[in-house]
Amino acid sequence: MTQQRQIGLTLPQRGAFFDVLSLSELVETGHYADETGLFDSVWIGDSLLAKPRPEAIALFGSLAAVTSRVRLAVGCLASFPVRDPILFADQWATLDQLSKGRMLLAVCTGIVKARDASAKEGALYGVTDRSRAARLEENTEIIRRLWTEDNVTFHGEFTSFEDVTVLPKPVQSPPPVYIASNPAPQPLAKRALRRVARIADGWMTTRKSPEHLTVNLPAIKEFLAEEGRDPEDFGVSAYHNLNLNPDREAAYDESYRFLGEYYGPVFSREDTRHWTATGTPDQAAADIQALYADGATEVTLRITSWDWRRQLKVLVEEVIPRLDLRP
């Protein structure tokens, strides 16, 4: 069964650090996205210390209170391997109750090689970069059991406990767990992509090159089939940028500068070109439509511009109406 195509809005939390928008504006924008009736989801990011930003769980509490329709998604929960899984299961279940079953979790290893950022973060919690992938898998198993079972006993490599019940249980049983994984397509990262197919409910990707979808996604679908799972029922969220400027070179340049402020010198100009829909409403809509053609079931857009208020208005009034969201 082919899934309905969906569109999301990503709120730029770290923009609060370089005069893009305030925390209150983040929450207000989430409310606006919900009210338009055009967005299926509102996304935020996460990191504790490796890439600091307003904390995700706390921010979701406000977003749950000012929205009623959109799914509330995190992409990705980079702190997942360092968070206590029992406490996190309780927090996420509470958010799912507050939102009446609208939470979507996308987890990742959170490894940041630049300045040894994730290693320094993990050292505070006794978590090495080398252990993050295994912790991601173990924590995923723990939270799913705590969300659906009572009196859970678990003995793992990193966490063990006896007779634990988390209350309240989430509305969703259990809430979906995606994995965000963006390995270079060549050579094919079979281990990482098999993990997605084996334990995730969906995949989130950052398309730093077309092959991040056109090579990695077919591989994931093959692995899904090997696991006896239907690839057509598997969600694929493309986390993408948007800069609406008729001068596409100027749009790419501003997006590159924006990402540099947001993440530091991590993404190249070439990455930015592949990762940003730009130009007029027609051109941007065509860029977004290409992501669906390559297999995305959802595209969530972050406006990488200091002129985000005007661009959000254009996105709502002129870009989204141009999209073909039929399955």
Side-chain angles (χ1 to χ4, degrees):
M1 178 179 175
T2 304
Q3 298 184 51
Q4 180 75 30
R5 293 169 174 172
Q6 298 187 326
I7 189 78
L9 181 68
T10 300
L11 304 179
Q13 285 145 284
R14 301 198 89 203
F17 299 155
F18 56 100
D19 298 324
V20 176
L21 76 177
S22 66
L23 266 174
S24 61
E25 286 175 316
L26 276 170
V27 176
E28 290 164 5
T29 305
H31 173 65
Y32 169 77
D34 189 67
E35 279 199 319
T36 66
L38 294 176
F39 294 99
D40 299 288
S41 56
V42 169
W43 293 69
I44 62 174
D46 167 78
S47 183
L48 295 181
L49 300 172
K51 295 178 184 176
R53 68 196 71 202
E55 200 276 331
I57 302 300
L59 182 54
F60 272 131
S62 292
L63 289 170
V66 300
T67 60
S68 60
R69 188 186 56 81
V70 292
R71 283 177 298 119
L72 299 175
V74 60
C76 61
L77 194 77
S79 62
F80 189 59
V82 302
R83 289 182 185 261
D84 176 86
I86 300 174
L87 173 60
F88 175 75
D90 196 5
Q91 291 171 318
W92 201 257
T94 300
L95 288 171
D96 203 56
Q97 283 284 344
L98 286 171
S99 66
K100 296 181 173 60
R102 293 184 287 121
M103 302 306 297
L104 170 60
L105 173 63
V107 300
C108 62
T109 62
I111 293 175
V112 181
K113 294 296 186 183
R115 302 179 302 280
D116 295 323
S118 56
K120 292 175 181 176
E121 174 191 78
L124 297 171
Y125 304 96
V127 175
T128 64
D129 278 1
R130 183 182 296 273
S131 72
R132 281 179 178 253
R135 288 176 182 274
L136 180 151
E137 293 195 24
E138 183 171 296
N139 286 356
T140 299
E141 181 180 355
I142 289 170
I143 62 175
R144 281 176 171 153
R145 289 194 60 191
L146 290 171
W147 286 337
T148 56
E149 302 175 29
D150 293 332
N151 309 113
V152 177
T153 293
F154 186 88
H155 296 288
E157 182 180 356
F158 307 105
T159 302
S160 295
F161 53 84
E162 301 273 349
D163 194 25
V164 171
T165 298
V166 162
L167 294 172
K169 291 288 189 278
V171 174
Q172 301 176 93
S173 185
V177 182
Y178 282 31
I179 289 180
S181 181
N182 305 293
Q186 299 296 335
L188 191 68
K190 293 184 178 181
R191 183 176 179 182
L193 301 180
R194 281 186 186 278
R195 180 185 299 118
V196 173
R198 181 166 49 84
I199 69 172
D201 299 308
W203 177 50
M204 193 193 89
T205 181
T206 298
R207 197 195 72 165
K208 295 181 288 184
S209 74
E211 291 77 19
H212 277 73
L213 269 171
T214 60
V215 173
N216 284 345
L217 181 54
I220 289 173
K221 289 186 174 183
E222 287 187 17
F223 298 146
L224 284 166
E226 290 177 9
E227 294 287 331
R229 305 178 65 188
D230 184 355
E232 298 304 317
D233 289 337
F234 196 73
V236 178
S237 181
Y239 184 97
H240 211 62
N241 300 309
L242 177 75
N243 193 298
L244 294 165
N245 185 331
D247 183 339
R248 300 192 90 176
E249 289 305 314
Y252 286 129
D253 182 65
E254 185 183 30
S255 190
Y256 176 70
R257 289 187 287 109
F258 189 102
L259 293 172
E261 291 281 357
Y262 207 89
Y263 295 110
V266 177
F267 296 100
S268 69
R269 288 185 179 274
E270 184 179 8
D271 292 339
T272 303
R273 285 181 177 275
H274 293 309
W275 196 26
T276 310
T278 61
T280 65
D282 276 330
Q283 290 170 321
D287 285 348
I288 297 165
Q289 205 71 51
L291 296 168
Y292 293 119
D294 286 340
T297 60
E298 178 172 22
V299 177
T300 181
L301 297 167
R302 172 181 52 194
I303 297 172
T304 45
S305 171
W306 281 264
D307 187 23
W308 66 272
R309 293 170 185 82
R310 181 191 65 82
Q311 294 203 20
L312 178 57
K313 186 173 186 291
V314 176
L315 170 62
V316 166
E317 295 179 356
E318 301 184 47
V319 178
I320 294 178
R322 284 173 161 82
L323 297 176
D324 180 3
L325 299 177
R326 294 172 298 177

